Amino acid sequence: MTDDPYRRALDAAHGHAMRWLETLPERPIRPALDVDGVLARLDPDLPESGRDPADVIDELADAAEPGLIAMGSPRFYGFVIGGAYPSAMAADWLVSAWDQNTGSRQPTPATAAFEETAGRWLLDLLHLPADSGLGFATGATSANLACLVAARDAVIRRDGGDPASGLSASRPVRFLAGGAVHISAVLAGRMAGLGAPETVGSDDQGRIDVAGLRCALAAGEGPAVVSLQAGDVHSGAFDDFTAAIDVAHEAGAWVHVDGAFGLWACAVPRLQGLVAGIERADSWATDAHKTLNVPYDCGLAIVRDAAAMTAALGPQAAYLPDAGGVADPWDRVVEMSRRGRGVPVWAVLRELGRSGVVDLVDRLARSAAELAEGFAAIDGVEILNDVVFTQVCLATADDAATEALGEWLRDEGTVWASSSRWQGRAVVRFSVSNHATSANDVERTIDAVHRGAAAIGIRS
Ligand SMILES: *Cc1c(COP(=O)(O)O)cnc(C)c1O
């Protein structure tokens, strides 16, 4: 069957994938070409005739290669980007080959069962209520959306309204968040019809001002949703969940937590102080494609009241199978049709076990602390945030020099870190999120910053 077109196309893809993965740790992280450079390699006109599938894969891989960024490199620290564990990547290939539309459990028993098992394992691992509803979303933004839609409908119903009648038929739903709320939660709130959040203050690390939250809640009335944050993208800081959830619940509000990367601290005994009380929230959103290191795209929407989630998100129609009192995968996300994206999550949890996940998250946070310590020892470099988790924000006395350092690093290619502004200053952000980042990578990263600072002439 060597001329089976699937075998030839998949064999070609396998070869290209292995060549990519084998060069990943040592290739310059930056792409050699920009978008226009890659476009120049592609025929702008739709071909009139077709091509052999394996040749298509060769053409694709050859044209793409110079425009690929080594995002899976152990020294990629930009944005918040995980790599992919071997079992998760391979499971993802199988998910494509199986091509199971895992919206409804009845026609796709295997992928539904693996997802349900992964969901149970995740709630156990994260110490969240075992009977919560858990949906496999495309990322934290769609997970935030699924949770906020469930929240919106639940608080409207509690207020005596009918969510199906639309927002104009109920009292306005208030949406509150801290001043450092992530743009993803803002977008999700807008998509859910809640508008951008009314922001209460936050402290210098981005933690919500709980007294401000109390005042804001007391100053208004009606149904309310409060969005808290586990893991600020600049500082890595966590809100004071115990205090903020007390205040929000006293006011009758639903508490949602955006924990895109920070929720994983729940798994680590050493980091429990960061997340104390978080399990008392009403919903939680996180990513698996960041800290858990599964391939894109995979996020988790978790709602304590599983029935509220199904009521808000579950489809019903004569042609759709009824799971008979059990929730379907599509009852917990905003998509109906979707790939079995929970299967790679099962695979990585099986590869690592509980102890492996605890070690992974603990190691990411320890590497961030080591980076911060190494950076701080460089003349003229300072660390702006309290490094409590995986994020490090570096600055120099001169914003232009800090920006130049970020550019120098990305251009030199050993490491890739994002430039941003925080606390009114230019910063270079390092987010340690890749499972493969080793002690040697930490050393090489500190060395690269050293060399960059010297090249730019940064001194105190
Ligand atoms: C990355 C991130 C998001 C958005 O996640 P996506 O998976 O990109 O949708 C939301 N909140 C925080 C804190 C994040 O770091």
Side-chain angles (χ1 to χ4, degrees), residues 144-145 148-150 152-153 155-156 166-168 170-175 185-197 225:
N144 278 328
L145 175 60
L148 289 179
V149 167
R152 178 198 69 195
D153 284 11
V155 296
I156 288 175
L167 286 171
S168 59
S170 70
R171 284 209 286 173
V173 178
R174 303 179 67 204
F175 179 40
V186 175
L187 284 173
R190 291 180 54 193
M191 289 188 277
L194 303 175
V225 177

Side-chain angles (χ1 to χ4, degrees), residues 80 139-141 144 182 184 231 233 258 260-261 287 289-290:
V80 182
T141 303
N144 278 328
H182 191 279
S184 163
V233 284
D258 174 6
F261 62 94
D287 270 317
H289 58 219
K290 290 178 178 169

Side-chain angles (χ1 to χ4, degrees), residues 198-250:
E198 171 186 346
T199 52
V200 304
S202 52
D203 69 10
D204 67 336
Q205 298 298 308
R207 290 178 292 241
I208 194 167
D209 174 357
V210 177
L213 177 64
R214 185 195 302 276
C215 285
L217 283 165
E221 54 177 35
V225 177
V226 173
S227 189
L228 301 179
Q229 188 162 264
D232 177 275
V233 284
H234 287 102
S235 67
F238 292 68
D239 285 343
D240 178 346
F241 298 109
T242 300
I245 293 172
D246 274 347
V247 162
H249 279 171
E250 271 162 32

Side-chain angles (χ1 to χ4, degrees), residues 21 24 31 84-85 92 116-117 121 165 191 268 290 327 343 353 382 400 433 437:
L21 293 171
L24 197 54
Y85 274 104
D92 200 53
E116 285 177 17
T117 301
W121 289 357
S165 300
M191 289 188 277
V268 185
K290 290 178 178 169
V343 174
E382 59 178 312
S433 307
T437 304

